[in-house]
């Protein structure tokens, strides 16, 4: 018996085998979930690179469909949700693991962010959850669960996270309002705030290597999270095990978010290395 036996849902945001959405998908598949997938539309349909990358992963686990969807396009979203309805009928869960900001605007400082860069980043990284939730609600069963991915840089300043921090703040606020609005229909909306995971998106954010070292040195568990840990907690939040949890941002970051300053052993090690 799997936790997702008889449950159906849709996954947005697999780019490749390092994607957080793939880590969560693997856990859902283990528990018996039936799933459909979207991918970024390919620029040249004759060379479907994005589609092929996703198909290679999800065809072996019995994907019900693999379709392109640019979340910036209302027409794409309408077509995607029509497919979800025709292929799956009513659904039980939806994963939103999507973010983007133009590299020139992401490098900061925030006071130099362009108007167009701001609009684009907010549209893809925050508004898309709102657009998707509005379309998912009518086809989601009571007891359904919607999950998005966020990062601590939406709550406090993480140098290098810059414009994406503003997007995550909007996203986390959207989670609370959406949860309050969908709750009466029995639908939950939560965010998983992950520590750094080496993915394509992460490579655009600050100095990623330094970020990993920071977590190893500062976090209560003195290490970084594994993709499997994000996968398991993502599965938990999409499952009935978390049936009383909504409007929540749950941190999967080895406890990094609770630290107000460096641990004493890190300060001593630094002092020793400086002689
Ligand atoms: O350390 C990390 N990797 C963390 C990631 C820590 C905490 C949170 N997150 C978040 C990200 O901000 C994002 O919301 O997790 C989510 C998933 O990100 P990921 O798994 O790190 O990154 P990736 O594998 O690149 O997936 C994000 C995908 C895009 O990938 P690419 O690399 O092609 O930009 O978002 C999708 C796309 O597949 N995406 C879109 N999908 C539809 N329409 C669009 C769009 N317009 N833009 C990007």
């Amino acid at each position: 018996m799997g936790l997702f036996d008889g449950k159906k849902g849709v996954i947005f945001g697999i780019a490749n085998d390092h994607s957080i959405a793939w880590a969560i998908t693997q856990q859902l598949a283990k528990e018996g979930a039936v799933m459909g997938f979207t991918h970024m539309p390919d620029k040249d349909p004759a060379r479907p690179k994005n589609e092929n990358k996703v198909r290679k992963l999800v065809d072996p686990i019995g994907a019900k469909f693999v379709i392109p969807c640019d979340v910036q396009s209302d027409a794409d979203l309408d077509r995607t949700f029509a497919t979800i309805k025709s292929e799956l009928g009513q659904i039980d869960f939806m994963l939103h693991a999507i973010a983007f900001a133009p590299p020139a605007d992401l490098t900061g400082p925030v006071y130099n962010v362009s108007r167009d860069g701001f609009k684009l980043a907010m549209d893809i990284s925050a508004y898309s959850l709102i657009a998707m939730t509005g379309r998912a609600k009518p086809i989601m069963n009571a007891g359904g669960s919607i999950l998005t991915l966020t990062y601590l840089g939406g709550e406090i300043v993480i140098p290098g996270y810059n414009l994406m921090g503003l997007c995550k703040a909007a996203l986390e606020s959207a989670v609370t309002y959406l949860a309050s609005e969908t709750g009466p229909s029995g639908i939950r909306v939560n965010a998983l705030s992950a520590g750094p995971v080496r993915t394509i998106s992460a490579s655009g954010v600050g100095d990623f290597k330094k970020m990993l070292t920071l977590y190893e040195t500062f976090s209560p568990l003195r290490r970084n999270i594994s993709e499997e840990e994000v996968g398991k907690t993502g599965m938990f939040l999409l499952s009935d095990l978390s049936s009383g949890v909504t409007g929540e941002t749950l941190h999967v970051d080895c406890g990094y978010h609770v630290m107000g300053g460096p641990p004493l052993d890190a300060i001593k090690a630094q002092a020793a290395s400086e002689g």
Side-chain angles (χ1 to χ4, degrees):
M1 270 294 281
L3 284 169
F4 281 80
D5 284 349
K7 292 200 187 269
K8 296 171 286 183
V10 58
I11 306 290
F12 290 76
I14 298 182
N16 61 29
D17 60 340
H18 294 293
S19 297
I20 289 177
W22 174 235
I24 297 174
T25 295
Q26 286 172 280
Q27 299 298 327
L28 293 166
K30 258 194 219 168
E31 296 294 336
V34 168
M35 289 173 273
F37 299 86
T38 72
H39 61 84
M40 266 297 276
D42 281 291
K43 286 198 185 93
D44 178 2
R47 292 175 57 233
K49 283 198 328 203
N50 295 339
E51 179 181 347
N52 287 345
K53 272 193 209 155
V54 177
R55 276 200 184 281
K56 203 174 137 195
L57 296 170
V58 304
D59 280 347
I61 59 166
K64 282 289 164 197
F65 57 81
V66 178
I67 52 172
C69 178
D70 180 350
V71 296
Q72 281 200 281
S73 157
D74 282 329
D76 259 26
L77 285 167
D78 288 342
R79 184 186 42 75
T80 298
F81 278 86
T83 303
I84 296 170
K85 191 176 173 186
S86 65
E87 294 290 321
L88 297 177
Q90 290 289 114
I91 58 172
D92 303 288
F93 62 92
M94 177 172 79
L95 176 65
H96 171 275
I98 287 171
F100 180 78
D105 291 291
L106 194 57
T107 46
V110 168
Y111 56 70
N112 277 346
V113 165
S114 68
R115 194 182 298 274
D116 283 347
F118 181 87
K119 282 190 198 166
L120 178 66
M122 281 285 181
D123 188 17
I124 296 178
S125 312
Y127 177 72
S128 59
L129 177 71
I130 296 168
M132 285 163 54
T133 299
R135 288 168 173 84
K137 186 174 172 286
I139 57 164
M140 191 167 266
N141 289 319
S145 178
I146 296 172
L147 179 65
T148 187
L149 266 299
T150 188
Y151 179 62
L152 184 60
E155 297 168 61
I156 55 174
V157 174
I158 304 288
Y161 204 60
N162 306 333
L163 172 58
M164 193 49 70
L166 280 66
C167 296
K168 294 305 191 191
L171 181 73
E172 288 171 29
S173 179
V175 164
T176 64
Y177 280 88
L178 294 170
S180 84
E181 292 168 0
T182 59
S185 308
I187 297 169
R188 301 182 291 115
V189 185
N190 289 294
L192 187 167
S193 183
V197 177
R198 206 181 284 277
T199 64
I200 311 179
S201 295
S203 62
V205 175
D207 188 336
F208 192 71
K209 261 193 178 162
K210 278 197 188 129
M211 201 100 134
L212 291 175
T213 309
L214 205 63
Y215 275 70
E216 272 168 25
T217 320
F218 276 35
S219 71
L221 295 179
R222 301 289 194 279
R223 63 171 176 84
N224 279 285
I225 54 158
S226 67
E227 289 190 25
E228 191 190 5
E229 285 172 320
V230 186
K232 286 191 294 189
T233 306
M235 185 273 287
F236 159 75
L237 286 170
L238 288 171
S239 80
D240 288 343
L241 290 180
S242 58
S243 57
V245 182
T246 195
E248 183 74 348
T249 293
L250 181 60
H251 299 84
V252 181
D253 64 353
C254 294
Y256 183 88
H257 68 286
V258 303
M259 299 300 289
L264 292 179
D265 54 353
I267 296 173
K268 280 184 194 148
Q270 174 80 15
S273 75
E274 289 169 0

